[in-house]
Amino acid sequence: MFEIVYCECLKLKRSKIILPGILASLAVPLLAAVNDIRICFSNPEASLSLWGIYEDTMMFLMLLFGPLILASAAVYLVSREYTEKTLKTVFAVSIGRGRFLIGKFITLFILVMLFMALSWLDIVVISLICSLFFDVSQVTLLPAVSIFIQMIKGGVLLFPALTPFVYLALRTKGMLVPFIAIAVVSLCNVVLSGSQAAEIYPWTAAYLLLAGRNTQSGASVLPGIWLLLLLCVFGIGMSVWRFRKEDIV
């Protein structure tokens, strides 16, 4: 399994999907910080803080940029094997189809964690730079570590919501349909994020669980957790089932 993941990382290293992902993970905290600074200028009672920049960053990451960038990476991991016609070459080596596809999912999970880690580092660096010019509170080690843990939790919650796009890529053997689905899902995230339906919509439920909105409203977190688990089982299970019956010629 390590060899499969290592090979996937080498292929990603030479691909064009990594640079946009890195730029997005760095751009979102910057945009959140600029927005918070703007609010502070327009409202003297508002304050700038490390935790505030984190909260705004995670809202954009979990609801918009994360699904867009990371779901695109998930689709690319699978669809490139069809567009570049490399599947026959891969299976010339003795390797199980299920094992091969699980390696793809592990690689996707690693990408999600790296995306979150880079965003966290950017939040801390931007907060330190802002503290040179503005009064930024909570720029200490303990809040930074707490935010890192929260962002890792966010990655764990976001990963299950990405798995159905892998199945869709396998089903269609291309990128167009999955990309359309990604755009629709991201748009629905924005529309539904402030409504009660967000608790039963998987791609917004992940953010609500991370932000603690369920507990604040008195609702149970279990429906959201079960929803994401079922989505993950569906995404991975159906992908493996579809790929095992694939006729590779």
Side-chain angles (χ1 to χ4, degrees):
M1 187 62 69
F2 173 79
E3 291 82 2
I4 296 175
V5 175
Y6 179 70
C7 289
E8 291 297 329
C9 291
L10 289 179
K11 287 191 286 185
L12 285 172
K13 183 180 178 181
R14 297 190 296 268
S15 70
K16 298 179 180 180
I17 195 71
I18 294 298
L19 182 58
I22 293 174
L23 293 177
S25 66
L26 298 178
V28 176
L30 178 61
L31 293 174
V34 170
N35 183 61
D36 287 352
I37 292 171
R38 179 190 61 82
I39 292 173
C40 289
F41 275 118
S42 61
N43 183 9
E45 296 182 358
S47 61
L48 196 61
S49 67
L50 177 66
W51 201 266
I53 295 174
Y54 152 76
E55 289 180 341
D56 290 344
T57 298
M58 289 308 289
M59 180 179 66
F60 290 120
L61 282 181
M62 297 291 289
L63 295 179
L64 188 58
F65 285 93
L68 279 172
I69 299 299
L70 294 173
S72 298
V75 171
Y76 181 79
L77 279 171
V78 175
S79 61
R80 67 173 297 178
E81 304 290 356
Y82 293 101
T83 57
E84 297 177 7
K85 303 184 185 303
T86 56
L87 275 178
K88 289 188 291 184
T89 305
V90 170
F91 289 105
V93 183
S94 179
I95 178 175
R97 296 192 184 191
R99 189 163 168 257
F100 173 75
L101 197 56
I102 292 301
K104 297 276 189 183
F105 281 108
I106 293 174
T107 305
L108 176 61
F109 183 78
I110 293 172
L111 283 177
V112 174
M113 293 298 108
L114 288 176
F115 186 86
M116 290 299 178
L118 283 174
S119 298
W120 169 81
L121 182 61
D122 198 27
I123 290 172
V124 173
V125 171
I126 288 173
S127 299
L128 289 172
I129 294 175
C130 288
S131 65
L132 299 176
F133 306 96
F134 308 99
D135 183 19
V136 183
S137 61
Q138 301 175 336
V139 187
T140 57
L141 180 61
L142 186 58
V145 173
S146 299
I147 286 173
F148 179 77
I149 294 172
Q150 285 295 107
M151 296 196 74
I152 293 301
K153 289 180 181 178
V156 172
L157 291 170
L158 185 59
F159 172 76
L162 304 175
T163 56
F165 297 110
V166 175
Y167 169 70
L168 193 58
L170 287 170
R171 183 79 182 182
T172 60
K173 299 181 182 180
M175 297 184 183
L176 180 60
V177 174
F179 282 169
I180 293 173
I182 291 166
V184 172
V185 164
S186 300
L187 178 61
C188 291
N189 282 350
V190 176
V191 173
L192 298 176
S193 59
S195 68
Q196 293 182 346
E199 297 180 6
I200 57 174
Y201 185 66
W203 293 273
T204 51
Y207 170 68
L208 295 181
L209 288 170
L210 180 67
R213 299 281 181 86
N214 305 75
T215 54
Q216 291 175 5
S217 62
S220 173
V221 300
L222 290 179
I225 293 174
W226 278 111
L227 188 63
L228 288 173
L229 284 175
L230 289 174
L231 192 67
C232 188
V233 170
F234 169 82
I236 295 177
M238 290 298 292
S239 297
V240 172
W241 173 78
R242 176 71 187 182
F243 194 61
R244 281 180 171 172
K245 64 177 292 188
E246 187 76 28
D247 185 18
I248 300 173
V249 293

